[in-house]
Amino acid sequence: MTTPAAPRANAPAAPLLTVRGLRVVIGGRHILHGVDLDVAAGGTTALLGRNGAGKTTTVRGILGLVPRTGSVVLAGKETVRLPTHALVCRGVGYAPEDRGVFAALTVAENLRLAERPGAGEPAYGLVHELFPELKQRARQAAGTLSGGQQQMVAIARTLLNGNRLIIADEPTKGLAPKVVTEVAQVLERAAEAVPVLLVEQNLALVRRLARHCAVLADGRTAHQGPATDLLADPEATRNLLGVGHRAAGGQGAQEHAGARAPSPAAPAHTAAHPAARTTEADA
């Protein structure tokens, strides 16, 4: 009788999120052509690509905010046929590119709306520890906050409910360098407890936070692997992201994935989420 082989002690953990053949067609226009993506069960996975590559559409496809086909497996369970609210109930937190705050509501009301029934006691202690300013501004209308403060609200909402995955879409876009540093610190701490899928153009931030990465090009996956390997390869970085390589020792504080002429905008029906917008402005 053959004894089954014992699992290897150093075998890598299975991905928390596995996306295969993700396709999105909006208004007859093919936006994604079969994206494959693995999000590691720990740390930060970065989703990279030039402007118009399909990063934001990929996130929306994962969440069911746009019509999609393919496979989206979360913690071993297929979710591609589930509505957005069912994915949220399964522990997916989303900080959208445009932050998605309710401008007329106070900071406290925005956070209270994010509380998920059945998720246990909301982690206000953690939120206020990471964002003490939000506690001070609890009664202030969210629409009067700065862009950086609104981004704090967006990230704070994902931390309230003990999520198993946080998706952050361009969390540092348009922020001052000091605020970028603060957001990086929060994401770094969050990733110690919860896997993070980070859509980001700032490669210095990716270098700091990400263990793994995937690169999209024209709605397809062009690369997957360790983030350090990609960022250490100047030719691959230039070819995939359109950026140069800084000299050894430089931290690349201003490195950003290169832009190209974006694909024409297509309408996206995303009313299932307060962050939804009606046009495709994919970063």
Side-chain angles (χ1 to χ4, degrees):
M1 180 177 177
T2 304
T3 302
R8 291 179 298 166
N10 296 325
L16 174 67
L17 181 73
T18 301
V19 178
R20 292 292 181 268
L22 184 66
R23 289 175 169 79
V24 171
V25 180
I26 301 174
R29 188 186 304 274
H30 292 260
I31 309 297
L32 300 184
H33 305 276
V35 168
D36 295 338
L37 170 67
D38 292 330
V39 176
T44 297
T45 298
L47 183 59
L48 308 173
R50 303 183 188 214
N51 290 340
K55 303 185 297 297
T56 293
T57 302
T58 296
V59 167
R60 292 175 177 170
I62 290 169
L63 292 166
L65 291 170
V66 292
R68 74 267 173 89
T69 59
S71 174
V72 179
V73 176
L74 176 67
K77 303 292 185 180
E78 180 61 67
T79 67
V80 77
R81 296 185 182 276
L82 295 181
T84 302
H85 67 83
L87 271 170
V88 171
C89 289
R90 292 193 178 201
V92 179
Y94 177 38
E97 180 184 9
D98 60 3
R99 302 170 188 131
V101 302
F102 294 94
L105 301 183
T106 67
V107 169
E109 288 167 339
N110 269 271
L111 294 178
R112 193 152 55 245
L113 280 175
E115 296 177 12
R116 191 168 68 240
E121 189 70 21
Y124 280 103
L126 172 63
V127 166
H128 291 151
E129 178 186 348
L130 294 175
F131 300 113
E133 192 170 357
L134 296 187
K135 187 174 184 179
Q136 298 165 6
R137 297 180 181 271
R139 297 184 179 181
Q140 183 173 338
T144 66
L145 298 174
S146 69
Q149 291 162 345
Q150 290 185 12
Q151 187 63 67
M152 292 177 187
V153 174
I155 296 174
R157 292 183 306 198
T158 71
L159 298 172
L160 277 178
N161 296 307
N163 286 313
R164 65 172 69 183
L165 173 66
I166 292 173
I167 300 177
D169 191 356
E170 301 256 23
T172 67
K173 184 178 180 180
L175 302 184
K178 179 178 181 296
V179 182
V180 170
T181 299
E182 293 173 358
V183 170
Q185 291 170 345
V186 169
L187 290 173
E188 193 167 35
R189 178 160 177 187
E192 293 174 359
V194 184
V196 174
L197 174 59
L198 174 67
V199 179
E200 188 52 73
Q201 296 262 49
N202 185 330
L203 297 188
L205 184 66
V206 172
R207 193 186 308 277
R208 171 176 174 174
L209 297 180
R211 299 181 189 174
H212 314 278
C213 72
V215 182
L216 302 187
D218 298 321
R220 297 177 174 86
T221 304
H223 171 87
Q224 282 203 81
T228 52
D229 290 357
L230 172 64
L231 296 178
D233 185 333
E235 183 176 359
T237 304
R238 182 172 57 253
N239 291 340
L240 292 169
L241 300 174
V243 296
H245 188 72
R246 291 178 178 264
Q251 295 303 306
Q254 301 302 317
E255 288 178 294
H256 282 74
R260 69 169 176 82
S263 300
H269 178 66
T270 58
H273 192 279
R277 298 188 295 182
T278 56
T279 58
E280 179 60 38
D282 213 350

